[in-house]
Amino acid sequence: LAKTTQPISMDSYEGQEVNITCSHNNIATNDYITWYQQFPSQGPRFIIQGYKTKVTNEVASLFIPADRKSSTLSLPRVSLSDTAVYYCLVGAGNNAGNMLTFGGGTRLMVKP
Amino acid sequence: DAGVTQSPTHLIKTRGQQVTLRCSPKSGHDTVSWYQQALGQGPQFIFQYYEEEERQRGNFPDRFSGHQFPNYSSELNVNALLLGDSALYLCASSRTGGLGNTIYFGEGSWLTVV
């Protein structure tokens, strides 16, 4: 299973763009990259998933370079409610025996 | 479309007791996984069920067991509870087959062992 490394914590201010980078040097060919957001005492919430290049949805963008050894989650114009822990995970998307290995995540603190 | 639902949301048990947690997967999903999340840590994989069988298991003792029913819902059972079993137990569901199938989590069941 590919291991991920991401910053332990980050601080930002309301209205700023936040970029959280995750490294996954031993990502496998079939692995997808998925980001989750988790608030205290709640289950992880799916944010975005990608395989290569750039993926964008209504809440975030995910940038994946050609070698796929890292990825960057971009949150545009964060608000106080974006304060949470963000997890980067890699794994095969077909779930054939796939399990998610969570690291410690990145604790994002958004300040007013 | 209901997402992943778990019950109960909170419960308190005494050491040595047994507990059963329940999960209904998201509509269209056939695979259920269970995770344990201690306070301040990331979720840890317990096991995964597909076609009513345990397909993969993490590093958890046999006191942790599970079941998947024909309607894809699942139960997590923990016997001989220890204080260290106090945690948020998360159920996650997904659809097997193809690539890029997203895994969705429920809100979890908070277990406190006293």
Side-chain angles (χ1 to χ4, degrees):
Chain A
L1 294 168
K3 181 180 177 182
T4 61
T5 303
Q6 50 184 125
I8 294 174
S9 64
M10 295 180 68
D11 289 342
S12 183
Y13 291 92
E14 281 190 295
Q16 288 188 334
E17 177 185 73
V18 171
N19 295 308
I20 305 175
T21 297
C22 177
S23 78
H24 26 80
N25 291 319
N26 58 341
I27 187 170
T29 302
N30 285 342
D31 282 345
Y32 279 67
I33 300 155
T34 312
W35 285 80
Y36 290 86
Q37 174 194 56
Q38 188 176 30
F39 299 111
S41 302
Q42 294 185 24
R45 183 177 75 96
F46 170 81
I47 302 175
I48 198 166
Q49 179 175 283
Y51 184 79
K52 62 180 179 181
T53 63
K54 176 184 175 182
V55 180
T56 298
N57 62 22
E58 63 276 9
V59 298
S61 294
L62 178 60
F63 299 91
I64 306 169
D67 65 7
R68 304 199 328 121
K69 294 184 182 299
S70 67
S71 60
T72 299
L73 173 71
S74 181
L75 304 173
R77 296 182 300 280
V78 294
S79 63
L80 296 177
S81 63
D82 292 318
T83 294
V85 178
Y86 292 82
Y87 292 100
C88 161
L89 297 106
V90 297
N94 64 0
N95 300 306
N98 176 49
M99 66 182 192
L100 295 178
T101 300
F102 284 81
T106 297
R107 296 183 179 278
L108 173 65
M109 173 69 72
V110 180
K111 302 175 183 178
Chain B
D1 174 24
V4 181
T5 58
Q6 294 185 240
S7 64
T9 54
H10 295 82
L11 70 167
I12 301 173
K13 290 286 187 177
T14 304
R15 277 180 299 174
Q17 284 188 320
Q18 178 262 347
V19 67
T20 297
L21 308 177
R22 297 174 177 81
C23 172
S24 292
K26 182 177 171 64
S27 178
H29 287 184
D30 56 11
T31 302
V32 173
S33 302
W34 287 91
Y35 292 78
Q36 179 195 65
Q37 186 173 24
L39 205 59
Q41 298 182 18
Q44 300 295 310
F45 175 78
I46 302 175
F47 42 54
Q48 182 182 84
Y49 276 84
Y50 172 68
E51 293 188 338
E52 302 181 48
E53 291 189 358
E54 184 182 292
R55 182 160 64 177
Q56 193 164 356
R57 189 180 184 93
N59 188 26
F60 279 82
D62 292 343
R63 297 187 298 108
F64 290 77
S65 63
H67 189 76
Q68 185 179 35
F69 300 93
N71 67 352
Y72 308 119
S73 67
S74 176
E75 288 182 350
L76 164 66
N77 301 293
V78 186
N79 295 321
L81 284 167
L82 305 174
L83 295 179
D85 295 331
S86 296
L88 178 67
Y89 288 85
L90 297 162
C91 173
S93 77
S94 56
R95 181 172 55 85
T96 290
L99 293 175
N101 293 317
T102 303
I103 297 173
Y104 292 92
F105 286 82
E107 292 301 323
S109 294
W110 268 109
L111 170 64
T112 301
V113 182
V114 297

